[in-house]
Amino acid sequence: WRNGEKKKHKIACITDSISLEVRRHILCRTNNIMASSLPATKSLILVGGGHAHVHVLKSLRAVCHKQSNNSPVINATLITPSIYTPYSGMLPGYVSRQYTLSEIHLNLQKLCEFGNVNLILAYAVKIVMDEKTGNEERGGWVICSNGQRIKFDVLSINAGISPSLPISAVNEDNVKTEQETTAMANKIDLITPVKPISTFSSRYEALCDRLHETRELYNEENPFRLLVVGGGAGGIELALSAQYALQRILLGYIDEQGNEVKPNTNTKQTKDVAPLKVGVLMYNMRNQ
């Protein structure tokens, strides 16, 4: 964002400091545009439906005023591939089965309607900047996966992350044979990145289904092992939530439909300890 005159704005207090900072920048930028009294409508493009943009969508309702000819001063557009965006803060609750998958998602279409924001369901695949002439502010174009070209005066990107799995993560040596390639693929298949949540949720559901079918195979001598890499707040929450949910499956307290099952006091099913071991690996990536 370009530095401009700083103005104070009365905006709602939110817990996400990053989202708050983004909102301040965008509100300041849009107010500067309105204060310039230019007749042309200015275009604000939001790429991605991340947490920061969710709060921006709510705020834009207050700043998308109209000119005398009834055209908006700010023409805001959200570009995102999906109507629904997950709130990662509720992910541990989903893993522990406190929330359903739909309950941890926000409806971006409804937020866009609330904030008078255009919605384009596509990926942003390229950004082309305009040539700067004189003192004019520089804008550009966002090229979408559906072929649309969207003009912008102000651009904000909040598209989330999709971590990659490099070969070095599973095998530091060069893969030379078909057997080694297959072995490497199998190792990668055991790794489940938390982001994007859409991929994580499908793999987590598959894990729970598999445990329902194979829980009789696990015992104290052969427990099911789950390793969480990363010992931050998110990693600890995820490990504890997974431990709670998976041990209930292994003990037979949850059926395949996810319903509670009353334990049979006449069976060994009521033992307190499930054949489950959950570990958290504290790993500093800077050592790589």
mmCIF file of all heavy atoms in Angstrom, residues 244-260:
data_model
loop_
_atom_site.group_PDB
_atom_site.id
_atom_site.type_symbol
_atom_site.label_atom_id
_atom_site.label_comp_id
_atom_site.label_asym_id
_atom_site.label_seq_id
_atom_site.Cartn_x
_atom_site.Cartn_y
_atom_site.Cartn_z
ATOM 1 N N TYR A 244 -8.550 -36.625 21.308
ATOM 2 C CA TYR A 244 -9.886 -36.781 21.884
ATOM 3 C C TYR A 244 -10.811 -37.532 20.929
ATOM 4 O O TYR A 244 -11.512 -38.470 21.338
ATOM 5 C CB TYR A 244 -10.471 -35.411 22.208
ATOM 6 C CG TYR A 244 -11.910 -35.446 22.675
ATOM 7 C CD1 TYR A 244 -12.228 -35.782 23.985
ATOM 8 C CD2 TYR A 244 -12.945 -35.159 21.793
ATOM 9 C CE1 TYR A 244 -13.545 -35.831 24.409
ATOM 10 C CE2 TYR A 244 -14.262 -35.201 22.211
ATOM 11 C CZ TYR A 244 -14.561 -35.538 23.514
ATOM 12 O OH TYR A 244 -15.868 -35.592 23.926
ATOM 13 N N ALA A 245 -10.814 -37.118 19.642
ATOM 14 C CA ALA A 245 -11.742 -37.715 18.685
ATOM 15 C C ALA A 245 -11.346 -39.147 18.323
ATOM 16 O O ALA A 245 -12.193 -40.051 18.294
ATOM 17 C CB ALA A 245 -11.813 -36.856 17.432
ATOM 18 N N LEU A 246 -10.051 -39.382 18.077
ATOM 19 C CA LEU A 246 -9.612 -40.702 17.610
ATOM 20 C C LEU A 246 -9.710 -41.756 18.714
ATOM 21 O O LEU A 246 -10.024 -42.918 18.446
ATOM 22 C CB LEU A 246 -8.188 -40.620 17.070
ATOM 23 C CG LEU A 246 -7.991 -39.694 15.859
ATOM 24 C CD1 LEU A 246 -6.554 -39.780 15.357
ATOM 25 C CD2 LEU A 246 -8.974 -40.011 14.741
ATOM 26 N N GLN A 247 -9.448 -41.373 19.958
ATOM 27 C CA GLN A 247 -9.548 -42.368 21.028
ATOM 28 C C GLN A 247 -11.006 -42.790 21.247
ATOM 29 O O GLN A 247 -11.285 -43.940 21.598
ATOM 30 C CB GLN A 247 -8.940 -41.839 22.322
ATOM 31 C CG GLN A 247 -9.712 -40.751 23.024
ATOM 32 C CD GLN A 247 -8.984 -40.283 24.287
ATOM 33 O OE1 GLN A 247 -7.905 -40.777 24.611
ATOM 34 N NE2 GLN A 247 -9.559 -39.307 24.986
ATOM 35 N N ARG A 248 -11.943 -41.890 20.995
ATOM 36 C CA ARG A 248 -13.353 -42.253 21.115
ATOM 37 C C ARG A 248 -13.774 -43.215 20.006
ATOM 38 O O ARG A 248 -14.623 -44.093 20.218
ATOM 39 C CB ARG A 248 -14.222 -40.993 21.103
ATOM 40 C CG ARG A 248 -14.018 -40.128 22.337
ATOM 41 C CD ARG A 248 -14.801 -38.845 22.272
ATOM 42 N NE ARG A 248 -16.238 -39.063 22.327
ATOM 43 C CZ ARG A 248 -16.911 -39.323 23.445
ATOM 44 N NH1 ARG A 248 -16.274 -39.412 24.599
ATOM 45 N NH2 ARG A 248 -18.213 -39.479 23.421
ATOM 46 N N ILE A 249 -13.166 -43.056 18.830
ATOM 47 C CA ILE A 249 -13.434 -44.011 17.754
ATOM 48 C C ILE A 249 -12.844 -45.367 18.098
ATOM 49 O O ILE A 249 -13.499 -46.411 17.965
ATOM 50 C CB ILE A 249 -12.856 -43.495 16.420
ATOM 51 C CG1 ILE A 249 -13.598 -42.236 15.960
ATOM 52 C CG2 ILE A 249 -12.941 -44.578 15.339
ATOM 53 C CD1 ILE A 249 -13.024 -41.618 14.708
ATOM 54 N N LEU A 250 -11.599 -45.369 18.564
ATOM 55 C CA LEU A 250 -10.922 -46.626 18.888
ATOM 56 C C LEU A 250 -11.598 -47.361 20.042
ATOM 57 O O LEU A 250 -11.568 -48.602 20.105
ATOM 58 C CB LEU A 250 -9.455 -46.357 19.213
ATOM 59 C CG LEU A 250 -8.584 -45.932 18.025
ATOM 60 C CD1 LEU A 250 -7.250 -45.390 18.501
ATOM 61 C CD2 LEU A 250 -8.374 -47.090 17.064
ATOM 62 N N LEU A 251 -12.209 -46.627 20.956
ATOM 63 C CA LEU A 251 -12.905 -47.250 22.078
ATOM 64 C C LEU A 251 -14.345 -47.627 21.731
ATOM 65 O O LEU A 251 -15.037 -48.242 22.538
ATOM 66 C CB LEU A 251 -12.904 -46.313 23.286
ATOM 67 C CG LEU A 251 -11.542 -46.104 23.952
ATOM 68 C CD1 LEU A 251 -11.639 -45.035 25.029
ATOM 69 C CD2 LEU A 251 -11.018 -47.407 24.541
ATOM 70 N N GLY A 252 -14.780 -47.247 20.520
ATOM 71 C CA GLY A 252 -16.128 -47.603 20.102
ATOM 72 C C GLY A 252 -17.209 -46.695 20.635
ATOM 73 O O GLY A 252 -18.383 -47.079 20.662
ATOM 74 N N TYR A 253 -16.840 -45.479 21.070
ATOM 75 C CA TYR A 253 -17.826 -44.552 21.612
ATOM 76 C C TYR A 253 -18.515 -43.737 20.512
ATOM 77 O O TYR A 253 -19.479 -43.037 20.781
ATOM 78 C CB TYR A 253 -17.179 -43.582 22.600
ATOM 79 C CG TYR A 253 -16.639 -44.247 23.846
ATOM 80 C CD1 TYR A 253 -15.775 -43.575 24.698
ATOM 81 C CD2 TYR A 253 -16.995 -45.559 24.176
ATOM 82 C CE1 TYR A 253 -15.270 -44.181 25.842
ATOM 83 C CE2 TYR A 253 -16.500 -46.172 25.319
ATOM 84 C CZ TYR A 253 -15.634 -45.484 26.143
ATOM 85 O OH TYR A 253 -15.138 -46.088 27.264
ATOM 86 N N ILE A 254 -17.983 -43.806 19.293
ATOM 87 C CA ILE A 254 -18.548 -43.087 18.151
ATOM 88 C C ILE A 254 -18.773 -44.100 17.030
ATOM 89 O O ILE A 254 -17.865 -44.864 16.685
ATOM 90 C CB ILE A 254 -17.612 -41.970 17.649
ATOM 91 C CG1 ILE A 254 -17.291 -40.985 18.783
ATOM 92 C CG2 ILE A 254 -18.210 -41.239 16.466
ATOM 93 C CD1 ILE A 254 -18.475 -40.180 19.236
ATOM 94 N N ASP A 255 -19.975 -44.103 16.440
ATOM 95 C CA ASP A 255 -20.230 -45.038 15.344
ATOM 96 C C ASP A 255 -19.803 -44.418 14.019
ATOM 97 O O ASP A 255 -19.307 -43.282 13.971
ATOM 98 C CB ASP A 255 -21.699 -45.468 15.308
ATOM 99 C CG ASP A 255 -22.652 -44.292 15.035
ATOM 100 O OD1 ASP A 255 -22.183 -43.251 14.539
ATOM 101 O OD2 ASP A 255 -23.855 -44.427 15.315
ATOM 102 N N GLU A 256 -19.992 -45.152 12.924
ATOM 103 C CA GLU A 256 -19.517 -44.712 11.604
ATOM 104 C C GLU A 256 -20.265 -43.481 11.105
ATOM 105 O O GLU A 256 -19.784 -42.783 10.208
ATOM 106 C CB GLU A 256 -19.657 -45.854 10.597
ATOM 107 C CG GLU A 256 -18.751 -47.041 10.907
ATOM 108 C CD GLU A 256 -18.842 -48.129 9.858
ATOM 109 O OE1 GLU A 256 -19.485 -47.891 8.833
ATOM 110 O OE2 GLU A 256 -18.262 -49.200 10.077
ATOM 111 N N GLN A 257 -21.442 -43.218 11.660
ATOM 112 C CA GLN A 257 -22.196 -42.022 11.276
ATOM 113 C C GLN A 257 -21.852 -40.817 12.154
ATOM 114 O O GLN A 257 -22.396 -39.736 11.976
ATOM 115 C CB GLN A 257 -23.708 -42.301 11.367
ATOM 116 C CG GLN A 257 -24.263 -43.177 10.249
ATOM 117 C CD GLN A 257 -23.835 -44.634 10.393
ATOM 118 O OE1 GLN A 257 -23.841 -45.174 11.497
ATOM 119 N NE2 GLN A 257 -23.472 -45.252 9.288
ATOM 120 N N GLY A 258 -20.924 -41.038 13.109
ATOM 121 C CA GLY A 258 -20.515 -39.954 13.980
ATOM 122 C C GLY A 258 -21.396 -39.758 15.191
ATOM 123 O O GLY A 258 -21.287 -38.753 15.894
ATOM 124 N N ASN A 259 -22.287 -40.722 15.461
ATOM 125 C CA ASN A 259 -23.197 -40.613 16.600
ATOM 126 C C ASN A 259 -22.570 -41.211 17.856
ATOM 127 O O ASN A 259 -21.773 -42.143 17.789
ATOM 128 C CB ASN A 259 -24.517 -41.331 16.289
ATOM 129 C CG ASN A 259 -25.205 -40.761 15.058
ATOM 130 O OD1 ASN A 259 -25.267 -39.548 14.892
ATOM 131 N ND2 ASN A 259 -25.694 -41.633 14.189
ATOM 132 N N GLU A 260 -22.953 -40.657 19.006
ATOM 133 C CA GLU A 260 -22.476 -41.171 20.283
ATOM 134 C C GLU A 260 -23.054 -42.568 20.534
ATOM 135 O O GLU A 260 -24.224 -42.831 20.260
ATOM 136 C CB GLU A 260 -22.899 -40.239 21.418
ATOM 137 C CG GLU A 260 -22.250 -38.867 21.380
ATOM 138 C CD GLU A 260 -20.854 -38.875 21.982
ATOM 139 O OE1 GLU A 260 -20.534 -39.854 22.677
ATOM 140 O OE2 GLU A 260 -20.108 -37.907 21.759
#
